[in-house]
Amino acid sequence: MPGHLTIAVFAMLGAGFVAVTLLFSRVLQHRSFGDEKYSPYECGSDPVGPPWVQFRIGYYVYALLFVVFDIETVFLYPWAVAYGSLGMFVLLEMAVFIGILAFGLAYAWKEGALTWR
Amino acid sequence: MSPGVLALVSALAALGLMLANGVVLIYMLRKVLAHFHLRLGPMRVGWHGLLQTPADVLKLLTKEDFDPSATDLWLFRLAPFMVFVPSFMAYLAIPFSDSLSFTPLDTGVLYTLAALALVPVGILAAGWASNSKWSLIGGMRAAAQQIAYEVPLLLSVIGVVMIAGSLDMSEIVKAQQGTWLGFIPRWFVIPQFGGFLLFLIAALAELNQTPFDMSVAESELVEGFANEYSGMKFAFFFLAEFSNSFVVSALAVTCFFGGWLLPWVPIDLPVWVDVAVFLTKTYLCIFVLMWIRGTLPRIRIDQLLSLGWKGLIPAGLAWVLLTGVVVKLVP
Protein backbone atom coordinates (compact mmCIF):
# COMPACT_ATOMS: atom_id res chain seq x y z
CA MET A 1 0.00 0.00 0.00
CA PRO A 2 1.79 3.19 -1.14
CA GLY A 3 -0.63 5.25 1.00
CA HIS A 4 0.41 3.58 4.25
CA LEU A 5 4.09 3.87 3.38
CA THR A 6 3.72 7.61 2.67
CA ILE A 7 1.84 8.14 5.94
CA ALA A 8 4.63 6.41 7.85
CA VAL A 9 7.31 8.45 6.03
CA PHE A 10 5.42 11.69 6.78
CA ALA A 11 5.18 10.81 10.48
CA MET A 12 8.88 9.95 10.71
CA LEU A 13 10.04 13.00 8.76
CA GLY A 14 7.83 15.30 10.87
CA ALA A 15 9.18 13.91 14.14
CA GLY A 16 12.74 13.93 12.80
CA PHE A 17 12.45 17.54 11.72
CA VAL A 18 11.28 18.65 15.17
CA ALA A 19 14.06 16.67 16.87
CA VAL A 20 16.82 17.97 14.58
CA THR A 21 15.63 21.58 14.85
CA LEU A 22 15.46 21.39 18.65
CA LEU A 23 18.98 19.91 18.79
CA PHE A 24 20.29 22.53 16.40
CA SER A 25 18.72 25.29 18.48
CA ARG A 26 20.21 23.71 21.63
CA VAL A 27 23.68 24.05 20.05
CA LEU A 28 23.12 27.66 18.96
CA GLN A 29 21.50 29.07 22.07
CA HIS A 30 23.11 30.87 24.97
CA ARG A 31 22.16 29.27 28.28
CA SER A 32 21.99 30.94 31.66
CA PHE A 33 20.90 29.57 35.03
CA GLY A 34 19.03 30.86 38.06
CA ASP A 35 16.41 29.56 40.53
CA GLU A 36 13.81 32.24 39.87
CA LYS A 37 13.79 31.53 36.17
CA TYR A 38 12.74 27.90 36.58
CA SER A 39 9.71 28.50 38.80
CA PRO A 40 6.26 28.19 37.15
CA TYR A 41 5.03 31.46 35.70
CA GLU A 42 2.26 33.14 37.64
CA CYS A 43 2.66 36.75 36.57
CA GLY A 44 5.62 37.31 38.87
CA SER A 45 4.28 36.24 42.27
CA ASP A 46 5.25 32.91 43.87
CA PRO A 47 2.82 30.11 42.90
CA VAL A 48 0.23 29.29 45.56
CA GLY A 49 -0.46 25.56 45.86
CA PRO A 50 0.03 22.91 43.19
CA PRO A 51 -1.74 23.37 39.86
CA TRP A 52 -2.44 19.65 39.51
CA VAL A 53 -5.71 19.75 41.39
CA GLN A 54 -9.11 18.17 40.99
CA PHE A 55 -10.56 19.76 37.91
CA ARG A 56 -14.11 20.70 37.03
CA ILE A 57 -16.11 17.52 36.39
CA GLY A 58 -18.00 19.20 33.54
CA TYR A 59 -15.08 18.69 31.17
CA TYR A 60 -15.10 14.90 31.72
CA VAL A 61 -18.81 14.61 31.04
CA TYR A 62 -18.32 16.38 27.73
CA ALA A 63 -15.40 14.09 26.93
CA LEU A 64 -17.54 10.99 27.57
CA LEU A 65 -20.32 12.30 25.34
CA PHE A 66 -17.75 13.11 22.67
CA VAL A 67 -16.47 9.54 22.49
CA VAL A 68 -20.00 8.26 21.85
CA PHE A 69 -20.91 10.89 19.27
CA ASP A 70 -17.63 10.87 17.41
CA ILE A 71 -17.70 7.12 16.84
CA GLU A 72 -21.31 7.22 15.73
CA THR A 73 -20.55 10.07 13.33
CA VAL A 74 -17.72 8.08 11.79
CA PHE A 75 -20.24 5.25 11.18
CA LEU A 76 -22.13 7.69 8.96
CA TYR A 77 -19.19 7.99 6.53
CA PRO A 78 -19.33 4.56 4.82
CA TRP A 79 -23.07 5.09 4.46
CA ALA A 80 -22.50 8.51 2.87
CA VAL A 81 -19.98 7.14 0.35
CA ALA A 82 -22.29 4.35 -0.80
CA TYR A 83 -25.44 6.47 -0.60
CA GLY A 84 -25.85 7.21 -4.31
CA SER A 85 -25.60 3.57 -5.35
CA LEU A 86 -28.09 2.19 -2.83
CA GLY A 87 -31.90 2.27 -2.86
CA MET A 88 -34.50 4.17 -0.90
CA PHE A 89 -34.24 1.76 2.04
CA VAL A 90 -30.84 3.09 3.22
CA LEU A 91 -32.41 6.48 3.82
CA LEU A 92 -34.92 4.89 6.18
CA GLU A 93 -32.19 2.93 7.93
CA MET A 94 -30.12 6.03 8.43
CA ALA A 95 -33.13 8.00 9.63
CA VAL A 96 -33.50 5.36 12.36
CA PHE A 97 -29.77 5.58 13.20
CA ILE A 98 -29.77 9.39 13.35
CA GLY A 99 -33.00 9.19 15.36
CA ILE A 100 -31.23 7.04 17.96
CA LEU A 101 -28.32 9.54 18.02
CA ALA A 102 -30.69 12.47 18.42
CA PHE A 103 -32.55 10.61 21.19
CA GLY A 104 -29.25 10.05 23.00
CA LEU A 105 -28.41 13.74 22.70
CA ALA A 106 -31.88 14.74 23.91
CA TYR A 107 -31.50 12.39 26.90
CA ALA A 108 -28.09 13.85 27.82
CA TRP A 109 -29.59 17.32 27.45
CA LYS A 110 -32.55 16.49 29.72
CA GLU A 111 -30.25 14.94 32.34
CA GLY A 112 -28.31 18.20 32.43
CA ALA A 113 -25.03 16.82 31.04
CA LEU A 114 -24.89 19.71 28.56
CA THR A 115 -25.43 22.39 31.20
CA TRP A 116 -22.37 24.21 32.48
CA ARG A 117 -22.45 24.19 36.27
CA MET B 1 11.48 5.66 -8.51
CA SER B 2 10.85 3.16 -5.78
CA PRO B 3 7.81 3.83 -3.57
CA GLY B 4 10.02 4.62 -0.57
CA VAL B 5 12.00 7.33 -2.39
CA LEU B 6 8.78 8.75 -3.83
CA ALA B 7 7.25 8.92 -0.37
CA LEU B 8 10.35 10.66 0.99
CA VAL B 9 10.38 13.20 -1.84
CA SER B 10 6.70 14.04 -1.35
CA ALA B 11 7.20 14.32 2.42
CA LEU B 12 10.13 16.73 1.90
CA ALA B 13 8.02 18.77 -0.51
CA ALA B 14 5.21 18.91 2.04
CA LEU B 15 7.65 20.00 4.74
CA GLY B 16 8.89 22.79 2.47
CA LEU B 17 5.33 23.90 1.77
CA MET B 18 4.48 23.84 5.47
CA LEU B 19 7.49 25.97 6.46
CA ALA B 20 6.89 28.41 3.60
CA ASN B 21 3.25 28.67 4.67
CA GLY B 22 4.29 29.37 8.22
CA VAL B 23 6.57 32.23 7.20
CA VAL B 24 4.06 33.76 4.78
CA LEU B 25 1.06 33.38 7.09
CA ILE B 26 2.73 34.95 10.12
CA TYR B 27 3.62 37.99 8.03
CA MET B 28 0.15 38.05 6.47
CA LEU B 29 -1.61 37.76 9.85
CA ARG B 30 0.40 40.60 11.33
CA LYS B 31 -0.19 42.85 8.33
CA VAL B 32 -3.90 42.02 7.96
CA LEU B 33 -4.66 42.44 11.66
CA ALA B 34 -2.63 45.65 11.75
CA HIS B 35 -4.62 47.14 8.89
CA PHE B 36 -7.90 46.15 10.56
CA HIS B 37 -6.66 48.07 13.58
CA LEU B 38 -5.61 51.03 11.41
CA ARG B 39 -1.95 50.33 12.15
CA LEU B 40 0.86 49.58 9.72
CA GLY B 41 2.21 46.37 11.27
CA PRO B 42 5.84 45.37 10.72
CA MET B 43 7.59 48.07 8.66
CA ARG B 44 11.24 48.22 9.76
CA VAL B 45 12.93 44.97 8.72
CA GLY B 46 13.12 44.90 4.94
CA TRP B 47 10.69 46.50 2.49
CA HIS B 48 7.34 46.87 4.35
CA GLY B 49 8.67 44.49 6.99
CA LEU B 50 9.01 41.57 4.58
CA LEU B 51 12.10 40.26 6.36
CA GLN B 52 10.45 40.45 9.78
CA THR B 53 9.46 36.77 9.89
CA PRO B 54 12.86 35.40 8.75
CA ALA B 55 14.44 37.59 11.42
CA ASP B 56 11.97 36.20 13.99
CA VAL B 57 12.83 32.64 12.95
CA LEU B 58 16.54 33.35 13.50
CA LYS B 59 15.77 34.88 16.86
CA LEU B 60 13.68 31.88 17.95
CA LEU B 61 16.42 29.48 16.84
CA THR B 62 19.01 31.18 19.02
CA LYS B 63 16.70 31.69 22.04
CA GLU B 64 17.24 29.50 25.04
CA ASP B 65 14.45 26.97 25.50
CA PHE B 66 14.56 25.83 29.10
CA ASP B 67 12.40 23.40 31.04
CA PRO B 68 10.84 25.00 34.15
CA SER B 69 11.56 23.01 37.29
CA ALA B 70 8.00 21.89 38.06
CA THR B 71 7.22 20.31 34.70
CA ASP B 72 6.53 16.68 33.90
CA LEU B 73 9.68 16.56 31.79
CA TRP B 74 8.94 13.70 29.38
CA LEU B 75 5.48 14.88 28.50
CA PHE B 76 6.66 18.50 28.37
CA ARG B 77 9.27 17.66 25.74
CA LEU B 78 6.98 15.27 23.87
CA ALA B 79 4.11 17.76 23.48
CA PRO B 80 5.62 19.82 20.60
CA PHE B 81 6.01 16.56 18.66
CA MET B 82 2.42 15.57 19.43
CA VAL B 83 1.18 18.87 18.03
CA PHE B 84 3.52 19.27 15.07
CA VAL B 85 3.55 15.75 13.60
CA PRO B 86 -0.23 15.35 13.07
CA SER B 87 -0.56 18.82 11.62
CA PHE B 88 2.27 18.00 9.21
CA MET B 89 0.63 14.67 8.32
CA ALA B 90 -2.57 16.50 7.42
CA TYR B 91 -0.86 17.86 4.27
CA LEU B 92 -0.64 14.41 2.76
CA ALA B 93 -3.96 14.16 0.96
CA ILE B 94 -4.50 17.76 -0.23
CA PRO B 95 -5.07 17.76 -4.03
CA PHE B 96 -3.39 20.71 -5.75
CA SER B 97 -4.39 19.54 -9.19
CA ASP B 98 -5.89 16.50 -10.88
CA SER B 99 -2.44 14.95 -11.22
CA LEU B 100 -0.62 16.61 -8.34
CA SER B 101 -0.98 15.74 -4.67
CA PHE B 102 1.52 14.41 -2.16
CA THR B 103 -0.18 11.05 -2.42
CA PRO B 104 -3.67 10.24 -3.71
CA LEU B 105 -5.65 8.73 -0.87
CA ASP B 106 -9.03 6.98 -1.25
CA THR B 107 -10.11 8.20 2.17
CA GLY B 108 -8.58 11.69 1.89
CA VAL B 109 -11.27 13.72 3.68
CA LEU B 110 -11.55 11.32 6.59
CA TYR B 111 -7.75 11.05 6.84
CA THR B 112 -7.26 14.85 6.94
CA LEU B 113 -9.94 15.31 9.59
CA ALA B 114 -8.46 12.44 11.62
CA ALA B 115 -4.96 13.94 11.45
CA LEU B 116 -6.28 17.33 12.60
CA ALA B 117 -8.21 15.63 15.41
CA LEU B 118 -4.94 14.42 16.95
CA VAL B 119 -3.67 17.97 17.56
CA PRO B 120 -5.72 18.65 20.75
CA VAL B 121 -4.13 15.61 22.42
CA GLY B 122 -0.77 17.37 22.19
CA ILE B 123 -2.24 20.67 23.39
CA LEU B 124 -3.82 18.96 26.40
CA ALA B 125 -0.48 17.21 27.11
CA ALA B 126 1.33 20.56 26.91
CA GLY B 127 -1.15 22.21 29.27
CA TRP B 128 -0.95 19.38 31.79
CA ALA B 129 2.82 18.82 31.66
CA SER B 130 3.64 22.51 32.15
CA ASN B 131 2.43 22.29 35.76
CA SER B 132 1.22 25.87 35.72
CA LYS B 133 -2.31 27.05 36.39
CA TRP B 134 -2.63 29.15 33.25
CA SER B 135 -1.41 26.28 31.11
CA LEU B 136 -3.72 23.74 32.71
CA ILE B 137 -6.80 25.92 32.22
CA GLY B 138 -5.75 26.63 28.64
CA GLY B 139 -5.15 22.96 27.87
CA MET B 140 -8.48 21.87 29.39
CA ARG B 141 -10.36 24.56 27.49
CA ALA B 142 -8.67 23.57 24.24
CA ALA B 143 -9.57 19.93 24.75
CA ALA B 144 -13.22 20.63 25.65
CA GLN B 145 -13.59 23.04 22.76
CA GLN B 146 -11.99 20.90 20.11
CA ILE B 147 -13.92 17.77 21.04
CA ALA B 148 -17.16 19.74 21.12
CA TYR B 149 -16.58 20.97 17.55
CA GLU B 150 -15.06 17.78 16.16
CA VAL B 151 -18.50 16.20 15.75
CA PRO B 152 -20.11 19.14 13.85
CA LEU B 153 -16.99 19.32 11.65
CA LEU B 154 -17.38 15.65 10.72
CA LEU B 155 -21.13 16.08 10.18
CA SER B 156 -20.70 19.16 8.00
CA VAL B 157 -18.73 17.30 5.34
CA ILE B 158 -21.03 14.25 5.16
CA GLY B 159 -23.44 16.05 2.80
CA VAL B 160 -20.60 16.72 0.36
CA VAL B 161 -19.49 13.09 0.57
CA MET B 162 -23.04 11.94 -0.15
CA ILE B 163 -23.32 14.03 -3.31
CA ALA B 164 -19.82 13.22 -4.56
CA GLY B 165 -20.07 9.56 -3.54
CA SER B 166 -16.39 9.45 -2.57
CA LEU B 167 -13.97 10.37 0.20
CA ASP B 168 -11.14 10.89 -2.29
CA MET B 169 -10.46 14.63 -2.39
CA SER B 170 -9.72 14.68 -6.15
CA GLU B 171 -13.01 12.87 -6.84
CA ILE B 172 -14.86 15.43 -4.71
CA VAL B 173 -13.33 18.25 -6.77
CA LYS B 174 -14.16 16.51 -10.04
CA ALA B 175 -17.77 16.14 -8.94
CA GLN B 176 -17.94 19.97 -8.94
CA GLN B 177 -17.10 20.39 -12.65
CA GLY B 178 -19.43 22.30 -14.95
CA THR B 179 -22.19 24.81 -14.36
CA TRP B 180 -25.90 25.01 -13.64
CA LEU B 181 -27.96 26.98 -16.18
CA GLY B 182 -24.73 27.70 -18.02
CA PHE B 183 -23.31 30.24 -15.58
CA ILE B 184 -23.58 29.10 -11.93
CA PRO B 185 -20.50 27.00 -11.04
CA ARG B 186 -21.46 23.60 -9.61
CA TRP B 187 -19.53 24.22 -6.41
CA PHE B 188 -20.91 22.38 -3.39
CA VAL B 189 -21.15 25.61 -1.42
CA ILE B 190 -24.47 26.28 -3.19
CA PRO B 191 -26.36 23.01 -2.59
CA GLN B 192 -24.50 22.46 0.69
CA PHE B 193 -24.70 25.98 2.10
CA GLY B 194 -25.91 24.73 5.48
CA GLY B 195 -23.01 22.29 5.59
CA PHE B 196 -20.62 25.09 4.71
CA LEU B 197 -21.87 27.30 7.56
CA LEU B 198 -21.45 24.41 9.99
CA PHE B 199 -17.98 23.77 8.59
CA LEU B 200 -16.98 27.41 8.95
CA ILE B 201 -18.04 27.68 12.59
CA ALA B 202 -16.61 24.30 13.56
CA ALA B 203 -13.35 25.01 11.72
CA LEU B 204 -12.89 28.31 13.56
CA ALA B 205 -13.23 26.43 16.83
CA GLU B 206 -10.90 23.63 15.71
CA LEU B 207 -8.27 26.20 14.78
CA ASN B 208 -8.53 27.97 18.15
CA GLN B 209 -9.31 31.11 16.18
CA THR B 210 -11.15 34.12 17.49
CA PRO B 211 -14.04 34.15 18.51
CA PHE B 212 -13.11 30.72 19.93
CA ASP B 213 -9.54 31.39 21.06
CA MET B 214 -10.04 30.94 24.80
CA SER B 215 -7.38 28.24 25.02
CA VAL B 216 -4.78 30.93 24.36
CA ALA B 217 -6.79 33.98 25.45
CA GLU B 218 -3.92 36.45 25.90
CA SER B 219 -5.89 38.79 28.14
CA GLU B 220 -6.95 36.03 30.58
CA LEU B 221 -4.40 33.22 30.43
CA VAL B 222 -1.34 35.10 29.13
CA GLU B 223 -0.46 32.49 26.50
CA GLY B 224 -2.65 29.59 27.64
CA PHE B 225 -1.30 26.08 27.13
CA ALA B 226 2.00 27.37 25.66
CA ASN B 227 2.78 29.54 28.68
CA GLU B 228 5.83 27.67 29.98
CA TYR B 229 7.33 27.00 26.57
CA SER B 230 10.16 29.04 25.12
CA GLY B 231 12.40 29.12 22.06
CA MET B 232 11.82 26.60 19.30
CA LYS B 233 9.43 24.43 21.33
CA PHE B 234 7.11 27.42 21.51
CA ALA B 235 7.65 28.09 17.82
CA PHE B 236 6.50 24.58 16.87
CA PHE B 237 3.10 25.07 18.52
CA PHE B 238 2.50 28.18 16.50
CA LEU B 239 3.92 26.78 13.29
CA ALA B 240 1.42 23.94 13.71
CA GLU B 241 -1.39 26.40 14.34
CA PHE B 242 -0.66 28.42 11.20
CA SER B 243 -0.25 25.28 9.16
CA ASN B 244 -3.61 23.98 10.43
CA SER B 245 -5.33 27.10 9.17
CA PHE B 246 -3.85 26.36 5.73
CA VAL B 247 -5.01 22.72 5.83
CA VAL B 248 -8.52 23.60 6.98
CA SER B 249 -8.81 26.29 4.30
CA ALA B 250 -7.58 23.82 1.69
CA LEU B 251 -10.21 21.36 2.90
CA ALA B 252 -12.89 24.05 2.61
CA VAL B 253 -11.74 24.90 -0.93
CA THR B 254 -11.76 21.22 -1.89
CA CYS B 255 -15.15 20.39 -0.42
CA PHE B 256 -17.08 23.59 -1.07
CA PHE B 257 -15.31 25.82 -3.60
CA GLY B 258 -14.35 23.49 -6.43
CA GLY B 259 -10.69 22.92 -5.55
CA TRP B 260 -8.44 23.72 -8.48
CA LEU B 261 -11.38 24.27 -10.88
CA LEU B 262 -12.13 27.63 -12.44
CA PRO B 263 -15.67 28.18 -13.68
CA TRP B 264 -16.42 29.11 -17.32
CA VAL B 265 -13.07 27.90 -18.69
CA PRO B 266 -11.95 24.61 -20.26
CA ILE B 267 -11.02 22.00 -17.65
CA ASP B 268 -7.72 20.80 -19.14
CA LEU B 269 -5.52 23.71 -18.03
CA PRO B 270 -1.79 23.30 -17.39
CA VAL B 271 -0.87 21.98 -13.94
CA TRP B 272 0.69 25.24 -12.75
CA VAL B 273 -2.57 27.11 -13.41
CA ASP B 274 -4.46 24.53 -11.33
CA VAL B 275 -1.99 24.90 -8.48
CA ALA B 276 -2.13 28.71 -8.67
CA VAL B 277 -5.95 28.66 -8.62
CA PHE B 278 -5.98 26.27 -5.67
CA LEU B 279 -3.47 28.29 -3.65
CA THR B 280 -5.25 31.58 -4.43
CA LYS B 281 -8.58 30.19 -3.26
CA THR B 282 -6.97 28.77 -0.12
CA TYR B 283 -5.29 32.04 0.74
CA LEU B 284 -8.59 33.89 0.21
CA CYS B 285 -10.17 31.50 2.73
CA ILE B 286 -7.34 32.20 5.18
CA PHE B 287 -7.90 35.92 4.67
CA VAL B 288 -11.55 35.44 5.65
CA LEU B 289 -10.42 33.64 8.82
CA MET B 290 -8.15 36.60 9.64
CA TRP B 291 -10.97 39.00 8.87
CA ILE B 292 -13.19 37.19 11.39
CA ARG B 293 -10.30 37.26 13.85
CA GLY B 294 -9.95 41.01 13.45
CA THR B 295 -13.68 41.63 13.84
CA LEU B 296 -15.30 39.45 16.51
CA PRO B 297 -14.75 39.45 20.28
CA ARG B 298 -14.01 36.27 22.21
CA ILE B 299 -16.97 34.35 23.66
CA ARG B 300 -17.13 32.52 27.01
CA ILE B 301 -16.28 28.81 27.36
CA ASP B 302 -19.80 27.83 28.53
CA GLN B 303 -21.37 29.74 25.64
CA LEU B 304 -19.01 27.96 23.30
CA LEU B 305 -19.87 24.50 24.62
CA SER B 306 -23.62 25.25 24.54
CA LEU B 307 -23.37 26.45 20.95
CA GLY B 308 -21.51 23.30 19.95
CA TRP B 309 -23.58 20.67 21.74
CA LYS B 310 -27.04 22.24 21.70
CA GLY B 311 -26.83 24.14 18.43
CA LEU B 312 -24.41 22.72 15.92
CA ILE B 313 -24.72 18.98 16.59
CA PRO B 314 -28.55 18.85 16.27
CA ALA B 315 -28.27 21.16 13.25
CA GLY B 316 -25.65 18.87 11.72
CA LEU B 317 -27.76 15.74 12.21
CA ALA B 318 -30.79 17.50 10.70
CA TRP B 319 -28.70 18.69 7.75
CA VAL B 320 -27.46 15.16 7.02
CA LEU B 321 -31.04 13.84 7.00
CA LEU B 322 -32.25 16.73 4.84
CA THR B 323 -29.44 16.15 2.34
CA GLY B 324 -30.28 12.45 2.30
CA VAL B 325 -33.93 13.13 1.44
CA VAL B 326 -33.14 15.76 -1.20
CA VAL B 327 -30.47 13.61 -2.90
CA LYS B 328 -32.98 10.75 -3.23
CA LEU B 329 -35.79 13.00 -4.51
CA VAL B 330 -33.71 15.08 -6.95
CA PRO B 331 -31.50 12.69 -8.91
Side-chain angles (χ1 to χ4, degrees):
Chain A
M1 281 295 288
H4 291 158
L5 178 70
T6 319
I7 292 171
V9 170
F10 264 66
M12 284 187 289
L13 185 77
F17 175 73
V18 178
V20 168
T21 315
L22 288 179
L23 278 177
F24 184 59
S25 157
R26 192 38 79 98
V27 174
L28 282 181
Q29 68 194 226
H30 170 75
R31 300 180 71 75
S32 68
F33 301 93
D35 287 347
E36 295 288 305
K37 179 169 144 186
Y38 292 98
S39 68
Y41 174 65
E42 237 165 67
C43 300
S45 54
D46 288 335
V48 180
W52 286 340
V53 291
Q54 286 192 334
F55 215 74
R56 196 185 251 290
I57 189 74
Y59 286 105
Y60 302 102
V61 177
Y62 283 115
L64 269 178
L65 278 175
F66 164 72
V67 173
V68 177
F69 273 91
D70 207 35
I71 292 172
E72 292 185 81
T73 312
V74 169
F75 280 140
L76 285 172
Y77 269 80
W79 168 78
V81 173
Y83 190 67
S85 54
L86 298 172
M88 206 65 182
F89 188 62
V90 285
L91 175 63
L92 198 67
E93 281 183 327
M94 200 38 65
V96 171
F97 185 74
I98 291 179
I100 295 171
L101 264 180
F103 180 76
L105 186 67
Y107 179 71
W109 197 332
K110 177 184 153 281
E111 290 292 301
L114 304 182
T115 315
W116 187 261
R117 281 181 298 235
Chain B
M1 271 193 286
S2 75
V5 177
L6 198 64
L8 189 61
V9 170
S10 62
L12 282 171
L15 187 62
L17 176 68
M18 181 178 185
L19 298 179
N21 268 331
V23 172
V24 174
L25 286 179
I26 290 171
Y27 178 74
M28 180 172 157
L29 177 72
R30 293 182 68 176
K31 273 294 189 194
V32 170
L33 281 187
H35 283 279
F36 277 118
H37 297 164
L38 301 180
R39 293 182 286 117
L40 289 173
M43 285 298 282
R44 301 288 172 133
V45 191
W47 183 77
H48 278 253
L50 267 177
L51 296 177
Q52 183 69 50
T53 330
D56 284 343
V57 171
L58 281 180
K59 183 200 75 178
L60 281 166
L61 260 177
T62 54
K63 278 269 183 192
E64 177 180 4
D65 63 334
F66 63 97
D67 308 310
S69 54
T71 52
D72 182 338
L73 204 54
W74 266 100
L75 207 52
F76 187 77
R77 289 184 174 165
L78 197 60
F81 290 86
M82 292 162 77
V83 171
F84 182 86
V85 174
S87 85
F88 173 55
M89 288 169 74
Y91 275 77
L92 194 144
I94 298 173
F96 295 91
S97 156
D98 191 9
S99 54
L100 188 72
S101 61
F102 294 118
T103 196
L105 217 55
D106 290 342
T107 50
V109 173
L110 198 58
Y111 169 83
T112 310
L113 289 171
L116 288 175
L118 287 175
V119 173
V121 182
I123 291 182
L124 184 60
W128 176 259
S130 294
N131 203 351
S132 151
K133 284 161 199 148
W134 302 133
S135 304
L136 182 63
I137 297 173
M140 282 292 189
R141 281 182 178 182
Q145 161 180 348
Q146 303 209 345
I147 62 180
Y149 284 76
E150 189 65 41
V151 180
L153 191 66
L154 282 167
L155 286 172
S156 69
V157 191
I158 286 184
V160 169
V161 175
M162 278 157 76
I163 301 178
S166 173
L167 284 169
D168 186 333
M169 287 166 99
S170 320
E171 293 299 321
I172 289 177
V173 173
K174 280 184 221 159
Q176 302 176 63
Q177 268 168 11
T179 50
W180 284 296
L181 308 173
F183 68 98
I184 307 170
R186 298 179 72 101
W187 294 351
F188 285 150
V189 65
I190 297 166
Q192 281 293 311
F193 191 69
F196 173 67
L197 282 183
L198 275 172
F199 183 90
L200 181 66
I201 299 171
L204 281 172
E206 283 289 302
L207 292 171
N208 286 326
Q209 282 264 9
T210 318
F212 308 117
D213 67 336
M214 57 284 282
S215 66
V216 174
E218 298 91 341
S219 48
E220 310 165 25
L221 300 179
V222 194
E223 199 54 55
F225 66 89
N227 218 332
E228 298 287 337
Y229 283 88
S230 45
M232 278 315 282
K233 287 203 199 84
F234 177 85
F236 277 120
F237 285 116
F238 285 88
L239 183 57
E241 190 184 302
F242 279 103
S243 136
N244 286 348
S245 61
F246 178 84
V247 172
V248 167
S249 302
L251 195 61
V253 168
T254 306
C255 291
F256 296 104
F257 293 100
W260 63 81
L261 297 171
L262 273 178
W264 318 300
V265 295
I267 50 168
D268 44 354
L269 295 167
V271 172
W272 67 268
V273 177
D274 288 349
V275 175
V277 169
F278 185 84
L279 288 179
T280 312
K281 284 184 186 175
T282 306
Y283 269 82
L284 279 175
C285 266
I286 297 175
F287 175 75
V288 173
L289 293 183
M290 291 177 178
W291 187 354
I292 293 171
R293 186 169 175 157
T295 308
L296 295 179
R298 183 181 305 137
I299 66 173
R300 268 194 343 246
I301 182 81
D302 60 322
Q303 295 169 333
L304 168 102
L305 291 175
S306 295
L307 174 66
W309 284 101
K310 297 178 181 172
L312 296 187
I313 292 180
L317 291 174
W319 184 258
V320 169
L321 263 189
L322 183 67
T323 311
V325 173
V326 172
V327 167
K328 281 292 173 215
L329 292 184
V330 189

